[in-house]
Amino acid sequence: MSSKKKILVTGGCGYIGSHTVVELIHNNFEVIIIDDLSNSSIQTINNIEKITGIKPLFCECDLKNKKHLDNIIRYNKNIDATIHFAAYKAVGESVKKPLTYYQNNITSLLNLLEVQSNYNIDNFIFSSSATVYGHPKKLPITEKNKTQRPFSPYGNTKKIAEEILEDIANSEKNFSCISLRYFNPIGAHESSLIGELPNGIPNNLLPYITQTAIGLREKLSVFGNDYPTPDGTPIRDYIHVVDLVKAHVKALKRQLNNQQESNFEIFNLGTGNGYSVMDVIKTFEKVASRKLNYEIVDRRNGDVPELYANANLAKEKLCWKAEKNLEDMIRSSWEWEQKARK
């Protein structure tokens, strides 16, 4: 009999999920991945094995199929906790297809919570987002900032999900949840075996930069240079994905060791530093030793001038702090992009 704690990771073949699985295996957890492969690849499982020497158990499943999900959890007995990443996440697409996003992201969550409750799985880590803060009135953003209606249906699914989880935590004394609010994850594993490889046109800045540099995209559009920031472009808090996933393992250990101070806890995950779009472009050009083809275009609806975190609570309670700098993040993304296209 294995004495390892068994962790269910939904969306474990995705960008953040796969990096978390690697970190969990490094920390001697047994991992079961559920993924429907709608925005990821089965090859990721093999790459996780190449990095860790261990092949995690993989189950292909759409979480909207409750019966299939129930069969998987019933078969894999004694799961100690769930880390829930599985969700649609393209902001622009969510504006065009709100019903698809609410149906997928909320139904999946409800099915997962209902099924795991039937098997007494009481620990839950939720992959949330700084989008729940909307347009904050105060910076840096602390967990005491009030949540607001996000600008996209995608963001709103995160806000609604947190409200559902908080209600369950308030009503069921055995249920423990930690919601981790990410700022802007970028970067890739140092092996260049896993990283961000979005299907279709990227929604996020860095994959668009690397895809432009490698020749997949003609040019990068910079949406506005007339914001009230030092260089006129929006400022965001970018965090290396490997730093980010280390916080998930810290949160999981806090939960499994019964160290939570309440059934529902929230932590911001960011560096506390803001970098503008032009900062990122110039750092990429320095790291990659090449010029990037970009042009300034009109602002996008919903973009706010500045968003960056105060992550002191995670430092205090999780003993976690982001370690990698912007150059580290960009270098690993560029190395991953080059390897992924070979």
Side-chain angles (χ1 to χ4, degrees):
M1 287 266 305
S2 170
S3 60
K4 289 182 179 181
K5 295 286 187 184
K6 194 184 288 187
I7 313 302
L8 178 67
V9 180
T10 71
C13 291
Y15 174 43
I16 300 170
S18 61
H19 285 81
T20 302
V21 169
V22 166
E23 196 64 26
L24 287 167
I25 293 171
H26 284 331
N27 280 268
N28 207 33
F29 288 99
E30 183 181 343
V31 179
I32 302 162
I33 294 173
I34 289 181
D35 201 302
D36 68 357
L37 302 177
S38 63
N39 194 31
S40 56
S41 166
I42 190 67
Q43 178 59 35
T44 303
I45 301 294
N46 296 328
N47 290 342
I48 290 169
E49 184 181 15
K50 285 178 188 173
I51 294 168
T52 64
I54 292 172
K55 191 169 192 171
L57 180 66
F58 170 71
C59 303
E60 186 173 348
C61 175
D62 182 339
L63 295 179
K64 297 193 294 298
N65 185 335
K66 195 196 291 187
K67 188 175 179 184
H68 189 188
L69 176 63
D70 188 283
N71 287 340
I72 290 169
I73 292 181
R74 184 171 70 248
Y75 180 77
N76 294 284
K77 294 181 173 57
N78 303 319
I79 293 170
D80 294 284
T82 300
I83 306 180
H84 181 46
F85 295 103
Y88 292 162
K89 62 175 189 177
V91 171
E93 184 183 60
S94 78
V95 174
K96 293 173 185 165
K97 301 178 178 177
L99 196 57
T100 301
Y101 271 67
Y102 288 115
Q103 175 73 26
N104 184 74
N105 293 5
I106 302 302
T107 304
S108 295
L109 174 70
L110 293 173
N111 284 351
L112 182 59
L113 290 167
E114 188 176 336
V115 172
Q116 73 168 49
S117 172
N118 293 338
Y119 297 95
N120 300 313
I121 305 167
D122 296 322
N123 297 308
F124 199 86
I125 307 282
F126 181 61
S127 164
S128 192
S129 163
T131 57
V132 301
Y133 293 115
H135 189 162
K137 293 182 172 62
K138 280 186 185 175
L139 289 170
I141 299 168
T142 75
E143 292 81 357
K144 290 181 179 174
N145 278 59
K146 281 191 164 54
T147 58
Q148 301 179 53
R149 176 67 160 83
F151 296 109
S152 69
Y154 157 73
N156 206 35
T157 66
K158 294 295 186 185
K159 181 173 179 289
I160 292 166
E162 282 197 357
E163 290 165 355
I164 291 167
L165 291 164
E166 187 172 15
D167 285 345
I168 295 169
N170 287 337
S171 71
E172 297 182 17
K173 67 180 190 307
N174 292 329
F175 181 73
S176 295
C177 179
I178 296 177
S179 186
L180 301 174
R181 292 174 176 170
Y182 313 157
F183 279 69
N184 291 67
I186 59 175
H189 192 267
E190 63 185 2
S191 65
S192 298
L193 285 166
I194 54 173
E196 187 172 14
L197 195 66
N199 289 345
I201 297 171
N203 286 279
N204 297 330
L205 176 62
L206 208 66
Y208 214 112
I209 285 176
T210 58
Q211 289 190 15
T212 302
I214 212 159
L216 272 180
R217 310 285 158 207
E218 184 190 348
K219 63 188 167 190
L220 170 75
S221 296
V222 176
F223 297 103
N225 66 346
D226 57 351
Y227 286 92
T229 61
D231 63 23
T233 61
I235 287 172
R236 296 292 181 267
D237 187 339
Y238 296 95
I239 176 171
H240 198 296
V241 66
V242 172
D243 280 335
L244 183 81
V245 303
K246 286 179 177 175
H248 291 68
V249 177
K250 298 255 190 186
L252 179 64
K253 289 179 177 178
R254 175 178 176 82
Q255 200 168 66
L256 295 175
N257 292 329
N258 297 313
Q259 293 171 327
Q260 280 186 238
E261 292 166 20
S262 69
N263 283 27
F264 183 71
E265 292 186 330
I266 292 162
F267 296 101
N268 286 341
L269 300 182
T271 64
N273 299 312
Y275 297 102
S276 73
V277 173
M278 287 309 302
D279 287 334
V280 176
I281 289 171
K282 286 173 182 171
T283 304
F284 176 82
E285 290 181 335
K286 177 184 167 190
V287 165
S289 300
R290 63 174 66 196
K291 285 290 179 188
L292 195 68
N293 186 21
Y294 67 88
E295 69 170 345
I296 309 296
V297 297
D298 290 341
R299 291 186 184 192
R300 272 189 312 204
N301 286 338
D303 276 348
V304 298
E306 291 186 82
L307 285 175
Y308 54 93
N310 176 323
N312 287 344
L313 192 65
K315 185 178 179 182
E316 178 192 342
K317 303 293 185 186
L318 300 180
C319 300
W320 171 88
K321 187 181 172 207
E323 304 287 347
K324 296 179 186 292
N325 63 28
L326 187 61
E327 282 196 17
D328 297 330
M329 302 178 208
I330 289 173
R331 184 175 295 105
S332 64
S333 290
W334 180 229
E335 288 170 355
W336 152 251
E337 183 74 57
Q338 294 173 96
K339 186 162 184 174
R341 300 300 168 190
K342 282 182 180 174

